[in-house]
Amino acid sequence: MASAHKIRMDFELAKRQAQRLEEVAGKMDRIADGQMADAMERLAAGWTGENSVKFIKKESRLQSEMGSTADSLRRVADTIREIAQNVYEAEMEAYEIARDRRSK
């Protein structure tokens, strides 16, 4: 049986990991919506022709995929938080039951 301290520490670790995923998702959004969009505007202004159109389409698809990946990371982070909360509550309840039984 894990100690109450260990249970809390594991719970906090899971929440920090979920937060890191959120941060990565935010960085991906900033890159896709900011840096990539700016680069594409500059590129489109100075490069014309069939190859530029193909490249811009690919870049647009990549931008969209990055946004989708960022959304997926956020969903994973939410799931981690939800599971961590459920496990924390179950482990704390089990800990309390075991502690009560030992004290009798």
Side-chain angles (χ1 to χ4, degrees):
M1 172 70 52
S3 69
H5 176 73
K6 172 85 167 105
I7 294 167
R8 281 190 293 275
M9 294 302 291
D10 289 347
F11 181 53
E12 291 302 318
L13 176 61
K15 290 192 310 185
R16 282 193 307 273
Q17 289 170 336
Q19 181 60 37
R20 285 187 203 129
L21 287 177
E22 292 270 355
E23 290 167 4
V24 168
K27 287 178 184 177
M28 289 180 75
D29 280 336
R30 284 189 295 281
I31 289 169
D33 296 336
Q35 295 170 353
M36 286 178 75
D38 290 345
M40 290 310 299
E41 286 177 27
R42 287 192 306 270
L43 184 64
W47 185 20
T48 59
E50 185 179 331
N51 287 333
S52 75
V53 171
K54 288 179 183 179
F55 181 81
I56 289 170
K57 283 182 182 179
K58 272 189 170 181
E59 186 73 16
S60 177
R61 214 172 25 249
L62 177 60
Q63 233 177 323
S64 176
E65 288 172 8
M66 284 182 71
S68 294
T69 300
D71 291 342
S72 294
L73 287 175
R74 287 186 185 91
R75 284 192 300 277
V76 169
D78 288 342
T79 301
I80 288 171
R81 286 187 193 97
E82 183 179 338
I83 291 170
Q85 184 69 44
N86 292 341
V87 169
Y88 172 77
E89 290 170 5
E91 286 186 343
M92 287 304 285
E93 184 177 339
Y95 173 80
E96 294 295 329
I97 291 168
R99 190 182 68 175
D100 290 346
R101 286 187 182 162
R102 281 191 299 251
S103 66
K104 289 182 181 180

